[in-house]
Amino acid sequence: MVYILLGAGFEEAEALVTADVLRRAELSVSLTGIGGEYVTGSHDITVRTDLSVDQVSLTEGDMVVLPGGMGGVAAMEGSAPAMELIRQAAGDPAVWLAAICAAPTLLARAGLLPAGVRAVCYPGMEGELVQAGAVPAMDCSAVTEGRLITGKGPGAAFEFGLTLVEALAGADAARQVRAALHYGL
């Protein structure tokens, strides 16, 4: 299962494009709410969630996805259950963790980026990655390092989603979804 965490002020493009791309690959996706069944994003789009963050129980092969949006990142940081889930995902070698835009900086502030890991985030926020010991990958839209995947920002949402598909379902599945989307062709 892929759990996409949604807190008030989340970046809609990063969450919903990612969910769409993953579902096109026939992967199970849960829009996972922080603070209620309905969560409003940074551009006033309200989304009904599938379950709440405190209902998640991670198992081998699961993925936790952190969309950006300053409000959404603040909501994750301010939620004990969300931070517990993020820490659990970061510490479990059988679980994937993905973050895009401002969300990789949450991982940096929480001490969850391994020293020397290559990561990408919203341009201009790389200093937080450096302070945490990460190496910013300035020329990439999405970066995979072990079971950690990071993405640049809203414009990279399709590339980020396809990178998640490749990690979970393989390169052939990602190529098929890319072709069906007519993305980058």
Side-chain angles (χ1 to χ4, degrees):
M1 175 67 74
V2 178
Y3 299 97
I4 301 176
L5 303 190
L6 304 181
F10 72 95
E11 172 53 59
E12 294 96 337
E14 295 162 359
L16 300 178
V17 167
T18 299
D20 179 272
V21 170
L22 290 164
R23 286 182 176 170
R24 287 172 189 262
E26 299 182 5
L27 293 164
S28 297
V29 176
S30 169
L31 298 175
T32 306
I34 299 168
E37 180 180 4
Y38 292 90
V39 181
T40 301
S42 61
H43 300 97
D44 294 322
I45 298 172
T46 300
V47 175
R48 181 173 183 231
T49 62
D50 300 311
L51 74 157
S52 68
V53 69
D54 56 354
Q55 294 174 304
V56 175
S57 179
L58 294 176
T59 60
E60 183 176 340
D62 284 349
M63 177 182 278
V64 175
V65 178
L66 314 177
M70 297 304 285
V73 170
M76 286 185 268
E77 286 182 307
S79 165
M83 289 306 298
E84 180 180 325
L85 179 66
I86 293 164
R87 283 188 182 91
Q88 181 184 358
D92 188 334
V95 174
W96 290 89
L97 180 59
I100 184 171
C101 194
T105 65
L106 174 155
L107 299 177
R109 288 188 296 276
L112 299 175
L113 289 178
V117 71
R118 288 179 64 243
V120 65
C121 65
Y122 190 81
M125 302 180 94
E126 296 88 359
E128 291 191 59
L129 301 183
V130 172
Q131 286 178 354
V135 178
M138 308 292 278
D139 59 343
C140 299
S141 294
V143 176
T144 304
E145 288 275 319
R147 288 196 171 251
L148 173 67
I149 300 170
T150 54
K152 190 174 263 185
F158 279 100
E159 195 63 40
F160 180 71
L162 289 164
T163 300
L164 303 186
V165 169
E166 184 170 346
L168 295 172
D172 285 342
R175 277 193 291 278
Q176 289 172 9
V177 173
R178 181 182 297 272
L181 288 167
H182 296 277
Y183 176 76
L185 300 178

